[in-house]
Amino acid sequence: MRLGLSVLLLSLTRSCWCVPQQQTCHPGDEFLGRCSNSVAGDTPTCTELNLGYCNDMEYSSTIFPNILGHQSRLDAESGAEYLLLSVIHGLLNGECSPEIRLLGCSVLASPCKDGKMIKPCRSTCDALRKDCAHAFESIDMAWPYFLDCDRFFASDQEGCVDPLAGLKARQELDMSSHSHDEPSTIIQFIYTSNTQMYNLLKRTAAKCSQISQVYSIGRSTEGRDLLVIEFSKNPGQHELLEPEIKLVANMHGNEVLGRQLLVYMAQYLCSEYLLGNQRIQTIINTTRIHILASMNPDGYELAASEGHLLNGWTNGRTNAQNLDLNRNFPDLTSIFYRNRRSSHYRIDHIPIPDAYWFGKVAPETYAVMKWIRSLPFVQSASLHGGDMVISYPFDFSRHPQEERMFSPTPDEQVLKQLARTYADAHETMSNNDTERCGANFYRTRGIINGALWYSFAGGMSDFNYLHTNCLEITVELGCDKFPSEAELYPEWKRNKEALLSFMESVHRGIKGVVTDLDGNRIKGATISVRGIKKDVTTAEDGDYWRLLNPGTHILTTTAKGYSRVSKRVYLPHNLNKAGRVDFVLEKVPIEPDIDDYLFPTVDTWERFDPYNQFERFGEPDAREGGIERQQKPWWWNYFSQSGISPPNWLLRSV
């Protein structure tokens, strides 16, 4: 693509980027009356607009010579500027179309009235150049010279025409045609390439910079950004007691509907917030939302190259290393089953086994794990395709030999309600139609325990549940993994309310702050609920969130070196926001416990890639500064971090 673009631009430069040699006065200067190229007898007159790419302008007559000095329609059509307009849509991957073409046409064929040319408005040019700067930067292309806003455009005071006025009027008419209950945001329901997706998300964040930002959590195997767009009243910062949620799609590259829905949702949140939609403003002002539209952009690239009709069931499913990302996370579920009856081991916030790092860890998996660990996510949804159902953990069967076995987590009822929230708000997922996609799950109204459906280890949802506070559901959006573009808008209508309801559902259960007697917030305190063997921990600022169903709950909070405090809490059925329950702990002497040494749990959670195994995957065996880098043995960090000296026989082996 870049090579073809370079050849095109080079040919344009060699052919006719410059003005005709016989002219001594530039057309722009001539228009301003500074000089003249006119030959005696030349009289500019209005003529019918008949320029192929410009025949849909809002006016019907133009004038030659035009602003660029073309003496006739044939001169204009043979110029480099007209050629560029004919390919600009493809060069920019569909971005800024048709605006750029309409703006260019207003220069090549400006409107004519009473024998006089009316120049296009400089304000329109300035605004479009600002909006489209990212599109040109993405292909390393400069803003076209013949769209120089200062040189070829006029101010409002001088009298000018807005070449985009008709387009804007049609868009406003489309918006007004919606009823008050329908969204007034206009979204283009088409598939986007990776480049288009990045540009669209960046453009959306720039449009709503007061509530949005984009950031990268890493790169794919082939170097593509794993780009997240965030929405919050204070983007980039964690607000005390504000819950954080994440939406992830396109984990399997050929399951593309979720990717598009999340791109549309980002546009919708931004636009509706600016339009004053009270519901959207409430969601964004009270929640920090993170959207990763494509976790596997490399796989998508392969699937998209084959398109909707040719794409098979598995083409593009894996990443560029041929790894299934939803089988690539640490298998903590087996550890849970093995240790659940032992009082010595934690069955929540389970550390990542050291052995995991000696396997093949995908860069996409590594990036998402670091992301999950770095933010206090409360709940999450992973969007997939291939059926229509909501599944929830555990995904791995409690009996390894059983492919389909009900395998509940301690939070079975809470996760079930979370799944129910999405399924019931979806247009068709929970209905009784036995002929539709997903009809196998009509008896359970569109939800199922993951392992009861089919069992697999190394999934992202189980990892979220067992390694962090986050509760994640898996949303299977439909039987067609790569639906046609004609289906994108209907699918948006089916899922929009479900996605919004899911975001709102994070505001239930309880939340609070844990402090000491002096008001200092305590990080890492545990909050347990009687009857649910899954604790949550406080974040950096000492705040916590615990998703719970209505009813009476007994909560207990403690931290190392602090007292234990319990409270009874009643959550009514009609409570539409999380209840506030704070705890104040008193410092107490720390008593040595042999179990802390024999069964380490808490401290080992912080060990992430302790032997730099992932980093070493990408490091070439090269010399740095002429000195060969010596790798430390695999056991080095273990002894360094534990404070225990390695035995002499092990040291002699180095």
Side-chain angles (χ1 to χ4, degrees):
M1 172 63 187
R2 291 291 172 88
L3 178 60
L5 175 60
S6 301
V7 172
L8 171 64
L9 295 180
L10 181 61
S11 65
L12 292 176
T13 304
R14 288 179 174 173
S15 59
C16 44
W17 275 118
C18 53
V19 296
Q21 295 298 315
Q22 68 269 22
Q23 294 183 337
T24 58
C25 176
H26 192 279
D29 296 329
E30 182 179 26
F31 183 85
L32 296 174
R34 295 173 180 162
C35 55
S36 175
N37 285 315
S38 299
V39 179
D42 285 353
T43 305
T45 58
C46 295
T47 183
E48 181 183 0
L49 175 57
N50 187 20
L51 207 59
Y53 285 108
C54 303
N55 283 339
D56 59 346
M57 300 298 285
E58 299 297 319
Y59 49 89
S60 58
S61 61
T62 186
I63 190 170
F64 289 100
N66 64 12
I67 297 176
L68 300 176
H70 300 132
Q71 299 296 313
S72 66
R73 177 180 65 85
L74 291 176
D75 285 346
E77 286 185 335
S78 61
E81 300 86 359
Y82 187 77
L83 175 59
L84 181 58
L85 283 187
S86 70
V87 297
I88 196 73
H89 177 88
L91 291 177
L92 297 181
N93 292 308
E95 285 283 302
C96 299
S97 295
E99 291 88 345
I100 287 287
R101 180 180 60 79
L102 295 175
L103 190 72
C105 284
S106 71
V107 173
L108 284 169
S110 303
C112 179
K113 185 176 181 180
D114 300 330
K116 293 184 179 179
M117 181 188 298
I118 306 174
K119 296 182 76 175
C121 293
R122 184 176 302 132
S123 57
T124 302
C125 180
D126 287 334
L128 189 61
R129 180 170 185 174
K130 181 179 179 182
D131 287 345
C132 297
H134 68 282
F136 283 90
E137 289 172 3
S138 69
I139 61 171
D140 297 329
M141 179 179 174
W143 183 255
Y145 102 91
F146 66 95
L147 298 183
D148 187 323
C149 301
D150 294 324
R151 194 171 187 182
F152 301 122
F153 294 78
S155 66
D156 295 341
Q157 292 76 17
E158 295 173 278
C160 62
V161 63
D162 181 358
L164 306 184
L167 179 65
K168 295 173 185 174
R170 288 191 294 275
Q171 290 175 342
E172 290 175 4
L173 182 62
D174 288 341
M175 291 174 66
S176 64
S177 66
H178 288 284
S179 68
H180 292 295
D181 296 329
E182 288 293 314
S184 53
T185 297
I186 293 181
I187 297 171
Q188 195 173 11
F189 292 97
I190 60 173
Y191 282 116
T192 53
S193 67
N194 284 320
T195 300
Q196 288 172 324
M197 179 188 69
Y198 297 144
N199 290 337
L200 193 53
L201 294 178
K202 290 175 183 177
R203 190 174 179 180
T204 299
K207 179 181 177 182
C208 290
S209 57
Q210 74 276 27
I211 58 163
S212 182
Q213 69 162 6
V214 291
Y215 63 92
S216 175
I217 62 170
R219 290 187 177 274
S220 68
T221 303
E222 294 180 345
R224 295 182 175 90
D225 258 327
L226 303 178
L227 196 68
V228 175
I229 184 166
E230 170 198 340
F231 290 92
S232 167
K233 68 175 182 289
N234 216 336
Q237 296 183 30
H238 171 69
E239 295 283 325
L240 189 70
L241 293 174
E242 182 177 77
E244 308 210 17
I245 69 173
K246 57 183 169 73
L247 302 172
V248 180
N250 205 207
M251 186 182 202
H252 294 140
N254 63 330
E255 297 170 12
V256 302
L257 177 57
R259 167 190 167 113
Q260 292 306 134
L261 292 180
L262 292 190
V263 171
Y264 304 152
M265 179 54 70
Q267 296 173 268
Y268 180 81
L269 291 174
C270 169
S271 180
E272 289 297 302
Y273 189 96
L274 297 180
L275 289 169
N277 184 319
Q278 189 171 355
R279 182 188 186 189
I280 300 305
Q281 289 182 341
T282 299
I283 291 175
I284 291 176
N285 289 338
T286 60
T287 319
R288 193 177 179 200
I289 304 159
H290 306 259
I291 297 175
L292 175 60
S294 182
M295 182 178 165
N296 185 3
D298 297 348
Y300 175 81
E301 196 78 12
L302 175 60
S305 68
E306 298 186 351
H308 158 63
L309 295 176
L310 295 178
N311 185 262
W313 190 255
T314 59
N315 293 338
R317 175 184 174 89
T318 60
N319 77 341
Q321 298 169 301
N322 201 31
L323 295 175
D324 187 327
L325 299 182
N326 208 26
R327 309 292 187 274
N328 194 234
F329 284 82
D331 174 17
L332 304 184
T333 324
S334 294
I335 299 174
F336 170 85
Y337 291 141
R338 188 166 61 245
N339 296 336
R340 60 182 166 169
R341 291 186 175 86
S342 171
S343 61
H344 295 300
Y345 291 96
R346 297 188 68 150
I347 54 174
D348 56 75
H349 296 82
I350 297 175
I352 298 173
D354 288 356
Y356 168 77
W357 299 107
F358 293 91
K360 198 164 188 179
V361 182
E364 297 89 348
T365 310
Y366 184 86
V368 168
M369 284 196 296
K370 286 190 71 174
W371 183 44
I372 292 171
R373 289 166 54 93
S374 67
L375 293 169
F377 292 117
V378 180
Q379 72 183 42
S380 171
S382 176
L383 276 55
H384 291 252
D387 215 316
M388 187 183 291
V389 67
I390 309 295
S391 71
Y392 56 89
F394 286 124
D395 283 325
F396 188 41
S397 171
R398 54 184 170 164
H399 194 296
Q401 305 305 318
E402 292 289 341
E403 284 296 315
R404 291 179 172 85
M405 174 181 258
F406 177 59
S407 305
T409 68
D411 277 292
E412 164 70 13
Q413 296 306 317
V414 177
L415 282 162
K416 200 171 181 179
Q417 181 56 41
L418 201 59
R420 180 91 281 134
T421 298
Y422 196 104
D424 288 351
H426 187 277
E427 223 175 62
T428 60
M429 193 176 287
S430 62
N431 67 27
N432 294 324
D433 181 4
T434 58
E435 300 299 321
R436 64 171 175 83
C437 167
N440 292 336
F441 309 100
Y442 85 94
R443 295 184 186 277
T444 56
R445 293 172 44 225
I447 69 172
I448 192 171
N449 170 259
L452 182 59
W453 184 17
Y454 66 92
S455 173
F456 65 91
M460 185 166 67
S461 293
D462 283 10
F463 175 79
N464 271 273
Y465 184 78
L466 292 172
H467 191 64
T468 72
N469 294 335
C470 186
L471 273 59
E472 180 173 276
I473 61 171
T474 299
V475 181
E476 297 283 346
L477 293 164
C479 295
D480 192 347
K481 294 189 174 190
F482 202 138
S484 66
E485 279 193 343
E487 282 298 309
L488 293 180
Y489 177 58
E491 288 293 349
W492 166 250
K493 289 174 63 180
R494 294 183 192 110
N495 286 277
K496 177 176 73 71
E497 178 58 35
L499 286 166
L500 294 176
S501 295
F502 180 80
M503 293 181 205
E504 292 169 325
S505 70
V506 75
H507 295 281
R508 59 191 178 91
I510 59 171
K511 64 182 179 181
V513 180
V514 180
T515 61
D516 62 17
L517 293 175
D518 297 322
N520 300 310
R521 297 169 187 160
I522 302 174
K523 171 193 173 185
T526 60
I527 295 89
S528 60
V529 182
R530 183 177 294 178
I532 302 177
K533 294 188 68 177
K534 154 80 173 176
D535 298 345
V536 298
T537 57
T538 53
E540 291 283 342
D541 296 332
D543 47 354
Y544 75 92
W545 304 261
R546 186 49 165 109
L547 297 179
L548 291 171
N549 290 340
T552 300
H553 304 279
I554 296 176
L555 311 176
T556 300
T557 300
T558 188
K560 194 166 186 177
Y562 290 90
S563 61
R564 182 184 300 268
V565 176
S566 296
K567 292 185 178 182
R568 181 188 295 269
V569 175
Y570 173 68
L571 297 176
H573 285 268
N574 59 354
L575 189 66
N576 57 7
K577 63 179 181 180
R580 176 81 181 263
V581 184
D582 294 338
F583 290 90
V584 178
L585 307 184
E586 183 180 358
K587 285 190 176 182
V588 296
I590 300 177
E591 297 182 3
D593 189 342
I594 189 62
D595 283 355
D596 291 341
Y597 300 97
L598 296 178
F599 305 99
T601 55
V602 179
D603 292 341
T604 56
W605 190 92
E606 301 294 341
R607 288 160 57 84
F608 187 69
D609 192 10
Y611 310 125
N612 293 323
Q613 285 296 103
F614 182 83
E615 297 299 332
R616 284 198 287 175
F617 263 126
E619 287 181 1
D621 292 329
R623 295 173 178 266
E624 293 188 357
I627 302 174
E628 186 173 357
R629 180 189 303 174
Q630 183 176 358
Q631 294 280 9
K632 291 184 175 66
W634 63 267
W635 45 261
W636 184 270
N637 280 1
Y638 171 78
F639 286 104
S640 298
Q641 293 179 13
S642 66
I644 303 172
S645 299
N648 290 333
W649 65 267
L650 205 54
L651 288 172
R652 286 195 296 270
S653 68
V654 178

